[in-house]
Amino acid sequence: MNLTRLVYYSQRNPSESMDAQDLIATCERNNMRLNLTGMLHYNGDHFLQVIEGGRVEVSALYHRIARDPRHSNIILLSCTDVRERMFPNWSMGMHQGMDDRARGIYLRYFSTDDINPETVNVESLLDVLQDLSVEMAPRLRVSNG
Ligand SMILES: Cc1cc2nc3c(=O)[nH]c(=O)nc-3n(C[C@H](O)[C@H](O)[C@H](O)COP(=O)(O)O)c2cc1C
């Protein structure tokens, strides 16, 4: 079956508590079961997430995430069929914060680490997410049954 890749950007809702460990545990639990993979960067103010997997599963997860009160102002940056996963080893990798290494990766592809979701080049964002994931040792693999 086809693979779909979806990328979105959103703003943290400061009036809702956000426990990153809790969130990543939920992602890992659900995404493994659904053969979904991807990467999430949470810089403290914004989320940038890529989700890849079956079309139906990606779509259902996106709609669930979009209703989550922990963030708002979600902007769908891209949703497209792809031939291959970019994050096959991550049920959902998460990079938190904007430390020097993360900033350095953003500056590899952009002139600033403060991206504008209305104009940003999604391919470059995917490069950023892939480089961030390479900085982290894979922790969970998708189960092939
Ligand atoms: C920024 C962000 C990213 C999320 N990513 C995922 C994800 O990849 N997978 C997932 O199952 N839930 C994700 N969630 C959580 C969902 O919105 C929802 O709370 C969760 O899927 C409910 O799962 P549960 O019914 O097992 O508790 C995310 C939430 C936020 C705010």
Side-chain angles (χ1 to χ4, degrees):
M1 290 301 270
N2 285 351
L3 278 174
T4 292
R5 179 181 301 131
L6 182 150
V7 187
Y8 78 85
Y9 185 79
S10 67
Q11 197 169 17
R12 191 203 155 177
N13 176 2
S15 33
E16 289 281 329
S17 70
M18 228 301 289
D19 181 332
Q21 288 310 318
D22 206 47
L23 175 60
I24 207 65
T26 303
C27 292
E28 287 172 350
R29 189 183 64 242
N30 291 336
N31 297 5
M32 281 259 273
R33 185 169 43 85
L34 297 166
N35 268 350
L36 292 166
T37 49
M39 181 76 192
L40 173 64
H41 184 210
Y42 171 46
N43 71 5
D45 296 318
H46 292 92
F47 298 99
L48 170 66
Q49 187 172 21
V50 52
I51 304 164
E52 48 192 22
R55 199 180 277 166
V56 170
E57 290 81 6
V58 169
S59 176
L61 177 59
Y62 177 69
H63 288 291
R64 200 159 75 230
I65 292 174
R67 287 195 302 269
D68 195 308
R70 287 172 283 191
H71 60 174
S72 60
N73 298 329
I74 299 185
I75 299 179
L76 181 60
L77 299 178
S78 139
C79 183
T80 179
D81 280 0
V82 292
R83 281 167 45 86
E84 192 181 342
R85 293 177 195 260
M86 284 181 80
F87 302 92
N89 297 329
W90 291 97
S91 56
M92 189 48 66
M94 181 172 183
H95 188 100
Q96 217 190 140
M98 187 61 100
D99 54 16
D100 285 347
R101 281 190 319 181
R103 183 167 293 109
I105 289 172
Y106 273 86
L107 294 178
R108 239 176 244 167
Y109 299 98
F110 300 109
S111 57
T112 153
D113 61 19
D114 189 19
I115 66 156
N116 178 347
E118 289 187 32
T119 55
V120 73
N121 178 302
V122 179
E123 293 304 314
S124 299
L125 272 186
L126 286 168
D127 286 336
V128 166
L129 287 168
Q130 195 162 42
D131 286 9
L132 284 172
S133 78
V134 168
E135 294 268 317
M136 302 153 62
R139 284 182 299 150
L140 272 172
R141 289 174 192 280
V142 175
S143 159
N144 290 317

